[in-house]
Amino acid sequence: MVICLFEGIGVDLMLLDGWFWLWFLFLIFTCLCAGAVLMVNNRCRADRIHEKKRLKLERDIMAKKMSLSYAQKSWMLSAHILFIVAWFGGILCMFGLLITSLSANHNNELYVIYMNINLLDDVYVKYPALGALITGLLLSVLTNWGLTRYYWIIVKEVLTLGTIGFGIFYMNQWLDQVTAATSNGDFDTLQLSDIKHLLIGNLANLIALATMVILSYVKPWGRRKNAKKNRKK
């Protein structure tokens, strides 16, 4: 009946049969292409998931290798606290001697005071400051604290580096000038402003160290926003 209908409207059955097979082959080709695309997409997605798992596993392994055990962390923290105490104590003793030097009556007294200040600076300030910096960086890198995850840690790092830099480029220079003047017997030419520079600089170091101790105990401000997002990811 259908054939008669097509013949009635003048459609060539051979032509119709050719178009049918052409569309049929096109449909099969389209399905094969779509299937191939889906397979490639699924394979790529599986590869991405596998790569993410591999990277996460590598990060976890590296974190375990770089992390400190509880005992190691306790020893490192104890060393860090001891260095901070020695550093703070050395600067506090220097501050007391600097105040004493303001009332010195002759050159020999001033010379002895500044020899002791130099000794404190060499033994209880320089090396403890370096030890506190190294142990602090190790505690940040080898634990979950990180170097830039928390605001209070960033402030401590800035204060530590600023205090050490201020001591190297300014405090040492002022101390050498005053010590050289007292060793040469130039008590009369020694200016009071040189001693005041040392006194003010030493007081600034004390305030910075006291701030670092308070920040270590209080831990204010919490985690940085970017660090929170990265941790969620």
Side-chain angles (χ1 to χ4, degrees), residues 6 27 57 70 73 80 120 127 129 151-152 155 170 181 185 225:
F6 281 114
L27 181 62
L57 182 61
Y70 180 78
K73 181 180 177 181
H80 182 68
L120 287 171
Y127 295 112
Y151 289 107
W152 64 272
V155 175
Y170 294 99
K225 293 182 180 180

Side-chain angles (χ1 to χ4, degrees), residues 88-161:
F88 191 88
I91 291 182
L92 189 62
C93 292
M94 288 175 62
F95 185 72
L97 289 174
L98 286 169
I99 292 177
T100 304
S101 67
L102 294 175
S103 58
N105 295 320
H106 51 81
N107 189 80
N108 290 334
E109 184 180 355
L110 200 63
Y111 176 73
V112 171
I113 290 174
Y114 277 95
M115 286 299 294
N116 287 314
I117 291 176
N118 274 283
L119 181 62
L120 287 171
D121 184 57
D122 291 335
V123 178
Y124 290 105
V125 175
K126 292 179 180 178
Y127 295 112
L130 182 61
L133 176 63
I134 294 174
T135 53
L137 291 176
L138 289 176
L139 282 171
S140 298
V141 173
L142 300 179
T143 61
N144 293 327
W145 290 116
L147 289 173
T148 58
R149 292 178 184 172
Y150 294 87
Y151 289 107
W152 64 272
I153 292 180
I154 297 175
V155 175
K156 275 191 64 177
E157 291 167 353
V158 172
L159 287 175
T160 301
L161 294 175

Side-chain angles (χ1 to χ4, degrees), residues 62-232:
M62 290 298 296
K64 289 181 180 179
K65 288 181 178 179
M66 294 181 63
S67 61
L68 297 174
S69 64
Y70 180 78
Q72 291 172 338
K73 181 180 177 181
S74 299
W75 282 107
M76 187 70 69
L77 183 60
S78 300
H80 182 68
I81 293 174
L82 288 175
F83 282 128
I84 290 291
V85 170
W87 189 9
F88 191 88
I91 291 182
L92 189 62
C93 292
M94 288 175 62
F95 185 72
L97 289 174
L98 286 169
I99 292 177
T100 304
S101 67
L102 294 175
S103 58
N105 295 320
H106 51 81
N107 189 80
N108 290 334
E109 184 180 355
L110 200 63
Y111 176 73
V112 171
I113 290 174
Y114 277 95
M115 286 299 294
N116 287 314
I117 291 176
N118 274 283
L119 181 62
L120 287 171
D121 184 57
D122 291 335
V123 178
Y124 290 105
V125 175
K126 292 179 180 178
Y127 295 112
L130 182 61
L133 176 63
I134 294 174
T135 53
L137 291 176
L138 289 176
L139 282 171
S140 298
V141 173
L142 300 179
T143 61
N144 293 327
W145 290 116
L147 289 173
T148 58
R149 292 178 184 172
Y150 294 87
Y151 289 107
W152 64 272
I153 292 180
I154 297 175
V155 175
K156 275 191 64 177
E157 291 167 353
V158 172
L159 287 175
T160 301
L161 294 175
T163 303
I164 293 175
F166 179 71
I168 293 173
F169 295 106
Y170 294 99
M171 291 292 290
N172 286 343
Q173 182 179 356
W174 296 336
L175 186 59
D176 290 340
Q177 290 176 355
V178 176
T179 304
T182 56
S183 63
N184 294 330
D186 298 334
F187 179 75
D188 296 331
T189 60
L190 183 64
Q191 295 182 1
L192 188 62
S193 60
D194 295 333
I195 300 177
K196 286 184 177 180
H197 287 161
L198 282 172
L199 189 61
I200 294 172
N202 198 269
L203 180 60
N205 288 339
L206 279 176
I207 294 173
L209 281 172
T211 303
M212 286 188 277
V213 172
I214 294 172
L215 290 176
S216 299
Y217 182 77
V218 178
K219 298 179 178 61
W221 308 312
R223 184 186 288 265
R224 291 175 57 240
K225 293 182 180 180
N226 291 336
K228 290 180 181 179
K229 293 179 180 178
N230 293 334
R231 188 177 184 183
K232 290 180 181 179

